[in-house]
């Protein structure tokens, strides 16, 4: 009988699963994060996909990773480095070890470290641990392939099918290491493979084998660890990705508005999962159309908006380029449309599976003519639900297209989402429908004098016949007009309508009343910037954070806040787009800038070093590429 190990409690831990893109690392990581969220842990995940559709097996370019950070309380980032690294083959160890902390536990499948595997991974000798200066005592070296085959020898499965279960053996080992309840894992698999019960049972058997291997051998580990949950707000939680949360936010908005939801889309990484998710919900009045190209996806959504639906279109940066003409049609027609831009690395095809914030100026200005459009940026995977709901509410109540910016990091990442108990928790949505007083003398650009929002008539309503289109219209009659004064007036009205949209004030966190440094960011960098702020405060620095969620229109208090502090640094995953936009909007605003375009999330320790260089300028200078003053 194996000696009983001590179970030690941790506040947080980071685990990274890595292997070939066909090794099921995303599924293993997703199950581990889901089980953690179910028991009340805070989670933040980062799926790191290879760009190759199917790289050669065992190659360095084909490694797929999934990092999950779990904590007793709220977790803000997936973690800079991992405490446990699962490397299913030699290439995974070679490319992913740099993400491991000194002293991290390494789990490897020794059956995938043969001479050919080492050659593909460009190791120079059979001593791969020594070559990478890895302490063997930190390595759980297990012949996973052999163990999986032994566990499934009576299953009737062929060799290829059995090998697909290797990821579950690794997951079983990790579940043992962190004292996870395997019944929760089993329930997940039974639900996922409900139509293939034999597959579910095989995976459950392999997970148990991995768990038993760790338990019976102690797997070089000193202790088993537990992350106890300290959930501040009671309720039902689920592990949700940003793309799924975006889809649910749109469904909730359509329900509150009493409208059907229409999505016109064209598949593009990393936005496609929004289309996939919404296509599952026809019972909720959702209509999805996979169109032949980006232009038709957006144009069909404009038509759905004209017909009275909550209309949306989803894409990434290259698709925004193509949709711009149809987006402008929604601007001049003043129709409600939600445009979801899941940003990825660019330009051109760029880095399809990586994350950047490089579309900001494109969505603000990248259309012909004076084309004002509200822009909202989601802060986290779970915030994608609220951001999508808010974008839909803004579009419907102000009859304007609205851009929702997410990116690959928050779209593919996940967090513990507190499910609303009822729809009553969500705000009402009240579109500005035509009133009976306008019947029989309605024209499409009659406006509310306070908000400048035009009144919305749905085609088929008797007495409200009208025409919209891409040519400029007379603001009074709705007829086509080339009158210069009318065009000037209409451009100003459309811009002023967007400017009058009320948005919440910019929130300052941390040492908001006495900070020596204000950190400024937007969207998905929130968790990393917040963590950097907290680390600096622990060191005794007075630091605050202001993260922009609403970018156009800017919050009314934005200029006052940006001018308030002696030092301001704008940190973004581009070469300075938000900083340039804020300088154009706020007089005499000249911030420091921290810019990276690596396709990867910020590293908190790098942020801390860079920001500390501002607070303590006599420290070794950071490269001007990373940290500079704005022009």
């Amino acid at each position: 009988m194996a000696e009983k190990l001590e179970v030690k409690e941790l506040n947080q831990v980071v685990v990274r699963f890595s292997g070939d893109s066909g090794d099921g690392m995303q599924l293993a990581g997703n199950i581990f994060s889901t089980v953690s969220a179910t028991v009340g842990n805070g989670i933040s995940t980062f799926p790191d996909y290879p760009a190759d559709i199917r790289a050669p097996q065992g190659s360095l370019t084909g490694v797929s990773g999934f990092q999950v950070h779990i904590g007793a309380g709220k977790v803000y980032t997936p973690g800079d480095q991992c405490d446990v690294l699962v490397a299913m083959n030699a290439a995974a160890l070679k490319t992913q070890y740099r993400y491991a902390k000194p002293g991290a536990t390494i789990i490897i499948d020794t059956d995938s470290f043969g001479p050919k595997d080492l050659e593909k991974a460009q190791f120079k000798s059979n001593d791969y641990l020594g070559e990478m200066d890895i302490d063997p005592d930190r390595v759980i070296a297990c012949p996973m392939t052999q163990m999986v085959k032994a566990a499934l020898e009576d299953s009737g499965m062929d060799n290829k099918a059995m090998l697909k279960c290797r990821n579950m053996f690794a997951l079983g080992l990790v579940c043992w290491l962190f004292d996870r309840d395997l019944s929760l894992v089993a329930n997940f698999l039974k639900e996922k493979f409900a139509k293939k019960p034999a597959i579910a049972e095989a995976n459950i058997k392999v997970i148990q084998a991995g768990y038993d291997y760790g338990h019976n051998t102690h797997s070089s580990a000193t202790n088993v660890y537990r992350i106890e949950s300290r959930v501040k707000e009671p309720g039902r939680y689920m592990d949700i990705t940003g793309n799924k949360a975006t889809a649910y936010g749109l469904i909730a908005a359509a329900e509150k508005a009493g409208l059907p939801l229409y999505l016109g889309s064209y598949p593009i990484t990393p936005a496609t999962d929004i289309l996939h998710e919404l296509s599952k919900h026809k019972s909720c009045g959702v209509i999805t159309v996979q169109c032949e190209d980006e232009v038709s996806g957006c144009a069909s959504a404009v038509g759905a908006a004209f017909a009275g639906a909550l209309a949306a279109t989803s894409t990434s940066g290259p698709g925004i380029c193509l949709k711009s003409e149809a987006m402008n049609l929604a601007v001049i027609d003043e129709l409600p449309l939600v445009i979801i831009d899941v940003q990825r690395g660019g330009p051109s095809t760029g880095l399809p599976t990586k994350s950047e914030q490089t579309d900001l100026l494109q969505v603000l200005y990248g259309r012909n003519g004076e084309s004002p459009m509200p822009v909202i940026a989601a802060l986290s995977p779970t915030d994608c639900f609220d951001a999508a709901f808010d974008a839909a509410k803004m579009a419907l109540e102000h009859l304007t297209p609205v851009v929702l910016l997410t990116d690959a990091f928050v779209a593919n990442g996940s967090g513990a989402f507190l499910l609303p108990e009822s729809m009553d928790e969500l705000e009402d949505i009240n579109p500005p429908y035509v009133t009976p007083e306008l019947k029989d003398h309605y024209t499409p650009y009659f406006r509310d004098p306070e908000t400048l929002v035009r009144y919305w008539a749905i085609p088929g309503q008797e007495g409200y016949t009208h025409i919209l289109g891409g040519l400029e219209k007379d603001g009074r009659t709705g007829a086509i007009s080339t009158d210069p004064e009318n065009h000037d007036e209409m451009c100003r009205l459309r811009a002023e309508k967007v400017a009058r949209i009320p948005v919440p004030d910019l929130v300052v966190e941390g040492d908001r009343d006495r900070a020596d440094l204000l950190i400024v960011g937007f969207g998905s960098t929130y968790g990393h910037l917040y963590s950097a702020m907290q680390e600096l405060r622990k060191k005794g620095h007075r630091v605050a954070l202001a993260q922009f969620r609403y970018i156009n229109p800017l919050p009314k208090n934005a200029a006052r806040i940006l001018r308030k502090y002696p030092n301001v640094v704008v940190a973004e995953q581009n070469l300075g787009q938000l900083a340039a936009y804020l300088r154009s909007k706020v007089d005499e605003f000249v911030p420091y800038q921290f810019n990276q375009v690596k396709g990867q999330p910020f590293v908190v320790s790098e942020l801390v070093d860079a920001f500390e260089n501002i607070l303590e300028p006599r420290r070794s200078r950071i490269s001007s590429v990373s940290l500079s003053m704005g022009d």
Side-chain angles (χ1 to χ4, degrees):
M1 181 176 178
E3 178 185 352
K4 184 174 177 62
L5 293 184
E6 180 183 355
V7 178
K8 288 192 172 182
E9 183 177 337
L10 298 177
N11 285 324
Q12 56 184 352
V13 72
V14 178
V15 181
R16 188 176 182 94
F17 297 84
S18 61
D20 265 335
S21 57
D23 281 343
M25 294 296 94
Q26 307 299 322
L27 177 60
N30 181 251
I31 294 174
F32 187 64
S33 62
T34 298
V35 169
S36 300
T38 301
V39 298
N41 292 146
I43 64 165
S44 176
T45 71
F46 174 52
D48 194 7
Y49 301 101
D52 304 49
I53 293 176
R54 191 66 178 95
Q57 188 173 10
S59 64
L60 295 173
T61 60
V63 176
S64 176
F66 189 102
Q67 186 158 304
V68 54
H69 184 180
I70 62 176
K74 189 169 184 179
V75 171
Y76 291 92
T77 76
D80 288 355
Q81 293 179 300
C82 61
D83 302 281
V84 177
L85 172 65
V86 176
M88 299 298 288
N89 61 18
L93 182 65
K94 186 71 173 285
T95 61
Q96 304 298 299
Y97 182 64
R98 60 177 174 161
Y99 298 115
K101 293 177 181 176
T105 298
I106 315 295
I107 299 174
I108 64 172
D109 177 5
T110 54
D111 291 330
S112 296
F113 282 76
K116 290 185 178 179
D117 302 307
L118 296 175
E119 182 181 351
K120 287 181 183 179
Q122 299 178 13
F123 281 103
K124 297 176 183 177
S125 68
N126 290 334
D127 183 19
Y128 50 89
L129 296 180
E131 197 172 315
M132 298 190 69
D133 196 26
I134 298 174
D135 182 355
D137 289 340
R138 296 192 286 110
V139 178
I140 300 176
C142 171
M144 292 189 202
T145 301
Q146 295 179 46
M147 300 289 289
V148 168
K149 289 180 178 179
L152 298 176
E153 61 183 350
D154 298 328
S155 67
M157 299 171 68
D158 59 32
N159 187 64
K160 184 177 180 180
M162 285 192 287
L163 291 182
K164 286 184 178 180
C165 298
R166 289 168 61 240
N167 59 334
M168 294 297 103
F169 191 95
L171 177 60
L173 255 176
V174 173
C175 285
W176 168 78
L177 193 59
F178 295 102
D179 199 32
R180 288 296 183 229
D181 184 351
L182 291 193
S183 66
L184 297 174
V185 182
N187 291 338
F188 179 98
L189 289 168
K190 287 175 182 177
E191 183 176 344
K192 180 174 179 62
F193 297 107
K195 296 182 179 179
K196 299 178 180 179
I199 299 295
E201 288 305 317
N203 280 293
I204 292 169
K205 191 173 183 179
V206 171
I207 285 175
Q208 186 67 56
Y211 188 96
D212 291 343
Y213 179 87
H215 178 73
N216 293 330
T217 66
H218 291 181
S219 295
S220 305
T222 306
N223 298 289
V224 174
Y225 300 98
R226 178 182 292 128
I227 311 293
E228 293 289 2
S229 62
R230 290 193 289 270
V231 179
K232 295 180 180 179
E233 191 172 354
R236 293 177 59 208
Y237 285 81
M238 67 177 291
D239 176 23
I240 194 169
T241 65
N243 274 340
K244 180 177 283 191
T246 298
Y248 287 1
L250 292 175
I251 294 172
E255 179 72 18
K256 289 296 287 190
L259 297 174
L261 171 61
Y262 175 90
L263 179 80
S265 189
Y266 179 77
I268 182 172
T269 302
T272 308
D273 284 341
I274 298 171
L275 172 62
H276 290 168
E277 184 60 38
L278 287 176
S279 68
K280 302 174 185 176
H281 298 286
K282 293 179 183 178
S283 61
C284 297
V286 179
I287 301 168
T288 54
V289 176
Q290 180 177 318
C291 298
E292 64 268 26
D293 54 42
E294 295 282 7
V295 180
S296 57
C298 188
S300 69
V302 173
F306 178 66
L310 168 54
T313 188
S314 55
T315 188
S316 190
I320 291 289
C321 295
L322 296 169
K323 292 180 188 291
S324 61
E325 184 179 2
M327 290 165 64
N328 252 354
L329 179 59
V331 169
I332 198 167
D333 287 349
E334 300 186 48
L335 287 168
L337 174 66
V338 178
I339 302 132
I340 303 154
D341 179 4
V342 186
Q343 299 168 97
R344 72 189 207 186
S348 187
T349 311
L351 304 171
T353 63
K354 306 304 179 183
S355 186
E356 287 179 4
Q357 294 183 304
T358 44
D359 294 350
L360 178 60
L361 293 182
Q362 179 182 207
V363 298
L364 286 168
Y365 301 121
R367 297 170 294 280
N368 69 295
E370 293 293 336
S371 183
M373 199 174 290
V375 176
I376 298 174
L379 305 182
S380 68
T382 55
D383 184 55
C384 286
F385 176 90
D386 293 324
F389 185 91
D390 292 346
K393 177 178 171 69
M394 186 179 290
L396 288 169
E397 293 189 340
H398 297 273
L399 291 195
T400 178
V402 176
V403 176
L404 171 58
L405 282 177
T406 69
D407 55 44
F409 170 63
V410 294
N412 293 324
S414 64
F417 178 57
L418 176 61
L419 295 168
E421 290 189 8
S422 73
M423 292 295 292
D424 293 338
E425 293 182 23
L426 304 177
E427 293 185 58
D428 291 334
I429 297 178
N430 301 300
Y433 292 119
V434 290
T435 59
E437 293 79 17
L438 296 175
K439 188 174 181 179
D440 296 325
H441 61 277
Y442 169 78
T443 64
Y445 295 108
F446 276 177
R447 300 177 185 276
D448 181 301
E450 294 297 323
T451 64
L452 300 183
V453 177
R454 74 179 189 87
Y455 297 103
W456 194 15
I458 307 302
Q461 287 183 275
E462 186 178 351
Y464 299 97
T465 302
H466 64 287
I467 297 173
L468 296 175
L471 293 172
E472 185 66 276
K473 304 294 192 301
D474 184 283
R476 284 154 287 281
T477 68
I480 293 173
S481 172
T482 58
D483 177 69
E485 299 301 326
N486 176 75
H487 179 56
D488 183 83
E489 180 185 6
M490 293 296 283
C491 285
R492 293 177 187 275
L493 282 170
R494 287 188 287 263
E496 181 61 22
K497 180 185 76 169
V498 171
R500 291 189 186 186
I501 294 174
V503 300
D505 279 348
L506 183 63
V507 175
V508 180
E509 299 179 87
D511 300 304
R512 56 180 177 271
D513 296 323
R514 59 190 188 98
D516 297 317
L517 175 66
L518 175 69
I519 303 168
V520 174
F522 78 96
S524 65
T525 58
Y526 171 74
H528 293 84
L529 297 182
Y530 181 87
S531 298
M533 176 193 72
Q534 294 293 62
E535 288 298 315
L536 288 165
R537 295 178 73 202
K538 289 177 185 177
K539 291 186 171 188
H541 296 295
R542 296 184 302 189
V543 185
L545 169 66
Q547 192 80 1
F548 280 90
R549 190 170 185 266
Y550 297 90
I551 299 172
N552 189 37
L554 285 173
K556 292 187 182 300
N557 67 335
R560 175 177 59 81
I561 286 174
L562 294 176
R563 294 194 192 105
K564 177 178 177 180
Y565 299 92
N567 296 291
V568 180
V569 58
V570 180
E572 46 188 324
Q573 292 181 313
N574 56 49
L575 296 182
Q577 296 185 21
L578 177 64
Y581 176 66
L582 293 176
R583 287 199 300 270
S584 74
K585 295 291 185 180
V586 180
D587 293 340
E588 300 178 0
F589 178 60
V590 185
Y592 290 91
Q593 292 177 212
F594 182 90
N595 304 107
Q596 286 185 351
V597 198
K598 297 182 177 181
Q600 295 287 327
F602 283 145
V603 175
V604 173
S605 60
E606 292 179 1
L607 294 171
V608 170
D609 286 344
F611 299 159
E612 210 163 18
N613 193 60
I614 300 173
L615 292 161
E616 301 177 6
R618 284 177 291 183
R619 295 174 71 250
S620 59
R621 297 187 62 186
I622 304 297
S623 166
S624 60
V625 174
S626 298
L627 182 63
S628 63
M629 288 294 289
D631 295 331

